[in-house]
Amino acid sequence: MEENVLKTLQWSECGELLTALAVKNFGHPKKGSVSDFAEFIRSFAADRKQMAAFLDKNANRRSFEDCSSIATALEDACLFSCEPASALEIISRHLKILNTGGKLPALWCFLDEECKAVVHFVNRKGWYAEAFFDCNEDFSVLHLLKNEKETSFLPVVFTKNIANYVSPAQGFLQTYLPRDAFQFLSKKGGKKKGVPFSAENKSLVQTDKDDFL
């Protein structure tokens, strides 16, 4: 099921207004000060469908600037260069597994072996993801996504210090074949770094206190 980007919002432009509107809808946030879209989604007592409906009404229908092309280019720059799928496609693929009853080995993981992005899957009566990307500046965006069934969202944080989000990560959403020809001849060439997502470890599902509403 293909996910299309309806609009991508930047926190610095619309965060203050969306927070004020969310207070009217959901009450005051659990965290007093909210500084990015990941914190915004986590802070309000709304499940995934309630938050998606709120964002569709109050974000997509306002004249906020769309920064989709800039944000997706920065996200994809964190992937291994030969990857044919976009970062959004990879995350959406694994969200579909969770939302159709499947399991992943970990809820915090690297996007891929480049280790330049971390993805956290969160359950709020339905799964959504938040993503953190290595970048030369700090800012946050929110992707509003649409498939044939529903509107969804993906909060993203770009950070100069990705190390702040690395410690919980326990595997990769995907791994790659050896990158250089000589690796095929090396005894170590076939070994993968870390703990890849595979059928053998699907039962090793980790939860954390923020994953359930």
Side-chain angles (χ1 to χ4, degrees), residues 48 102 123 147 157:
R48 185 190 63 150
N123 192 345
N147 60 36
V157 175

Side-chain angles (χ1 to χ4, degrees), residues 131-190:
F132 308 90
F133 290 87
D134 185 42
C135 190
N136 59 8
E137 58 180 308
D138 295 324
F139 67 102
S140 179
V141 302
L142 177 83
H143 294 299
L144 282 173
L145 308 169
K146 180 81 172 180
N147 60 36
E148 59 188 34
K149 289 186 177 182
E150 61 182 0
T151 300
S152 59
F153 54 86
L154 175 67
V156 175
V157 175
F158 292 94
T159 175
K160 290 184 286 188
N161 192 2
I162 193 66
N164 289 337
Y165 303 97
V166 164
S167 59
Q170 297 191 4
F172 306 116
L173 283 184
Q174 60 180 11
T175 55
Y176 301 99
L177 293 173
R179 302 182 188 186
D180 300 305
F182 74 86
Q183 287 183 300
F184 286 97
L185 304 177
S186 170
K187 292 182 180 180
K188 297 182 179 180

Side-chain angles (χ1 to χ4, degrees), residues 2 72 75-91 93 111-112 114 174-177:
E2 186 178 356
T72 54
E75 291 161 2
D76 293 346
C78 291
L79 292 169
F80 180 44
S81 60
C82 73
E83 172 53 48
S86 70
L88 279 176
E89 288 170 337
I90 297 165
I91 295 169
R93 185 192 314 153
L111 183 59
D112 71 359
E114 291 295 275
Q174 60 180 11
T175 55
Y176 301 99
L177 293 173

Side-chain angles (χ1 to χ4, degrees), residues 12-102:
S12 60
E13 180 188 9
C14 60
E16 185 175 347
L17 175 57
L18 287 180
T19 300
L21 293 170
V23 169
K24 293 181 180 179
N25 279 263
F26 308 121
H28 288 281
K30 291 178 284 186
K31 181 176 180 179
S33 177
V34 178
S35 60
D36 60 53
F37 275 117
E39 290 182 352
F40 173 84
I41 301 296
R42 279 188 246 122
S43 293
F44 289 98
D47 63 33
R48 185 190 63 150
K49 288 186 177 180
Q50 290 170 332
M51 182 57 72
F54 166 80
L55 292 170
D56 186 42
K57 177 182 178 181
N58 293 291
N60 190 42
R61 298 175 187 175
R62 293 178 182 269
S63 57
F64 296 128
E65 182 181 355
D66 181 9
C67 62
S68 297
S69 58
I70 296 172
T72 54
L74 288 171
E75 291 161 2
D76 293 346
C78 291
L79 292 169
F80 180 44
S81 60
C82 73
E83 172 53 48
S86 70
L88 279 176
E89 288 170 337
I90 297 165
I91 295 169
S92 295
R93 185 192 314 153
H94 289 83
L95 271 175
K96 183 179 178 181
I97 292 172
L98 290 170
N99 280 315
T100 54

